[in-house]
Amino acid sequence: MRPYFEYLTGIDFKEETRSKLASYVMANLNLFERSGSKPTTKYGKYDWNWFLPRDHMPRELMDEIGNKFKIPVTYEILGQSQYTDGKIHVDRIVEGIPPRISLFNFPIYPLDPSLFGPTRFWKLAEGSYIDYDNATFDMQAEVDYTKRLPVIFNLQEYHNAVNMRDDHRFNAQFTTDLSFDEVVKLYDSGDLFEE
């Protein structure tokens, strides 16, 4: 798991809240912005993400978790289209957008965790990211959502989302500009969130 991700215990949405979030997302797909990446011939052949704009964020539902963090976090809802095999990437820091260095991930749709595709973490083994289709990546770890636990992601390691089914995949997320090491140190010491 570490240094790629860490499962979280002691914090999660109530099932009623998760269900309300899932219903909100699926009833408001028209509010989402979408982005994709150029098709590739190797890793991550299809990549189409859904981002909920901040002015449509269901803050009253997200606050159930967001208000528990002892560090500043930014709210997000992010999803993938059907049959997404996401491009392997490291999150960039983009001016004007809250930094996505580490992320707290709470799966919300589908409600059945056995249907929720994994997030995979990779190591660039050969070549360069610029020459993506000729590079070689080795999978290092995979998040198992059937554990029914939220997850801390290290977004500065190579990763991708996988949703190889005929339905969407959505997460409620909280991002921070703290490094993964800083976040897990706070988690290990009990200083990350209020229980």
Side-chain angles (χ1 to χ4, degrees):
M1 296 185 310
R2 295 184 189 184
Y4 304 101
F5 70 89
E6 179 61 52
Y7 294 108
L8 279 168
T9 59
I11 188 170
D12 206 350
F13 286 108
K14 296 173 187 168
E15 284 305 313
E16 178 184 1
T17 308
R18 185 186 309 277
S19 182
K20 286 180 180 178
L21 281 165
S23 295
Y24 177 85
V25 165
M26 297 311 290
N28 291 286
L29 290 176
N30 61 310
L31 300 177
F32 282 77
E33 295 177 7
R34 282 162 251 176
S35 70
S37 59
K38 186 171 77 173
T40 68
T41 59
K42 206 171 183 182
Y43 310 94
K45 296 179 178 61
Y46 178 77
D47 190 1
W48 197 253
N49 291 314
W50 298 61
F51 298 91
L52 186 63
R54 298 204 185 291
D55 53 346
H56 297 295
M57 196 67 57
R59 287 198 64 93
E60 66 286 352
L61 296 172
M62 300 271 294
D63 279 346
E64 181 178 294
I65 294 298
N67 287 341
K68 292 183 178 182
F69 284 104
K70 296 180 181 180
I71 60 171
V73 293
T74 301
Y75 291 23
E76 294 182 350
I77 294 183
L78 174 67
Q80 285 76 40
S81 290
Q82 300 89 331
Y83 302 110
T84 288
D85 181 10
K87 186 175 181 182
I88 299 168
H89 67 285
V90 171
D91 279 36
R92 296 178 294 125
I93 297 174
V94 179
E95 189 174 338
I97 297 177
R100 303 178 89 246
I101 306 300
S102 300
L103 179 144
F104 307 98
N105 185 63
F106 295 78
I108 56 172
Y109 183 86
L111 293 172
D112 180 349
S114 70
L115 300 176
F116 206 92
T119 301
R120 294 181 174 143
F121 286 82
W122 304 79
K123 180 179 180 182
L124 178 61
E126 292 181 26
S128 72
Y129 192 76
I130 294 170
D131 190 14
Y132 186 83
D133 279 330
N134 291 311
T136 301
F137 291 88
D138 291 335
M139 193 172 78
Q140 302 297 301
E142 180 176 275
V143 177
D144 177 4
Y145 292 107
T146 64
K147 293 179 180 285
R148 293 186 173 267
L149 292 172
V151 187
I152 307 169
F153 289 167
N154 183 351
L155 298 178
Q156 301 311 298
E157 296 285 349
Y158 288 109
H159 61 281
N160 74 323
V162 179
N163 182 40
M164 300 306 291
R165 52 189 295 275
D166 190 20
D167 201 354
H168 295 83
R169 171 191 191 268
F170 282 98
N171 302 278
Q173 301 181 154
F174 303 88
T175 64
T176 177
D177 61 356
L178 297 179
S179 72
F180 181 76
D181 289 343
E182 291 173 298
V183 169
V184 295
K185 185 175 181 181
L186 289 169
Y187 174 58
D188 289 343
S189 66
D191 295 318
L192 182 59
F193 56 82
E194 303 282 352
E195 293 197 43

